[in-house]
Amino acid sequence: MDTSCIFCKIASGAIPATFLHEDDAVVAFGDLNPQAPHHVLIIPREHVVSLASATDGHTEVLGRLLRVAAEIAERLGVTDSGYRTVINTGPDGGQSVFHLHVHLLGGRPLAWPPG
Ligand code: DGP
């Protein structure tokens, strides 16, 4: 745990949040600044700064993040309409919180390419 990391504090329960999913490795909660009717963040409990700093040792949890995203999408009822999963990495990727997270966005058509 990185005591200065907001997502570590959420994952540990130090900052209260409503989890849409929690298990030993992963938690999911709503984005503070939603960009779609459904906007969920899925994060590892472990403090991993970004996708760029993940290692082969994180292969299982990386897969788990995506499986949990698909399970939540199913529960939210957006599997058929579709949704987007995004991992922003580093400055050009638009990453603003330096704890690896997958965005799950759904509930409206999403433009491509992104800005
Ligand atoms: P990114 O730009 O990819 O690093 O996305 C970070 C997201 O995290 C952004 O959409 C806003 C969200 N966020 C930042 N701080 C908090 C917080 O304290 N709680 C929640 N739920 N979301 C947060």
Side-chain angles (χ1 to χ4, degrees):
M1 165 145 178
D2 177 335
T3 52
S4 66
C5 170
I6 191 85
F7 284 1
C8 282
K9 289 180 185 167
I10 291 172
S12 71
I15 292 178
T18 301
F19 290 146
L20 285 86
H21 172 94
E22 60 177 318
D23 62 37
D24 287 352
V26 168
V27 300
F29 50 89
D31 194 289
L32 189 64
N33 185 23
Q35 300 300 312
H38 300 296
H39 187 169
V40 179
L41 302 172
I42 304 105
I43 73 167
R45 285 189 186 273
E46 179 186 343
H47 183 74
V48 180
V49 169
S50 74
L51 185 61
S53 51
T55 66
D56 285 348
H58 295 109
T59 300
E60 188 174 339
V61 75
L62 289 171
R64 187 86 198 111
L65 292 171
L66 293 179
R67 281 294 304 133
V68 168
E71 287 166 13
I72 293 171
E74 183 74 33
R75 234 187 301 142
L76 293 173
V78 296
T79 300
D80 290 345
S81 53
Y83 54 88
R84 185 168 295 166
T85 46
V86 176
I87 300 175
N88 295 324
T89 304
D92 280 1
Q95 185 176 7
S96 61
V97 175
F98 290 87
H99 180 127
L100 175 63
H101 50 282
V102 175
H103 295 259
L104 166 64
L105 298 137
R108 69 169 174 86
L110 298 162
W112 191 265

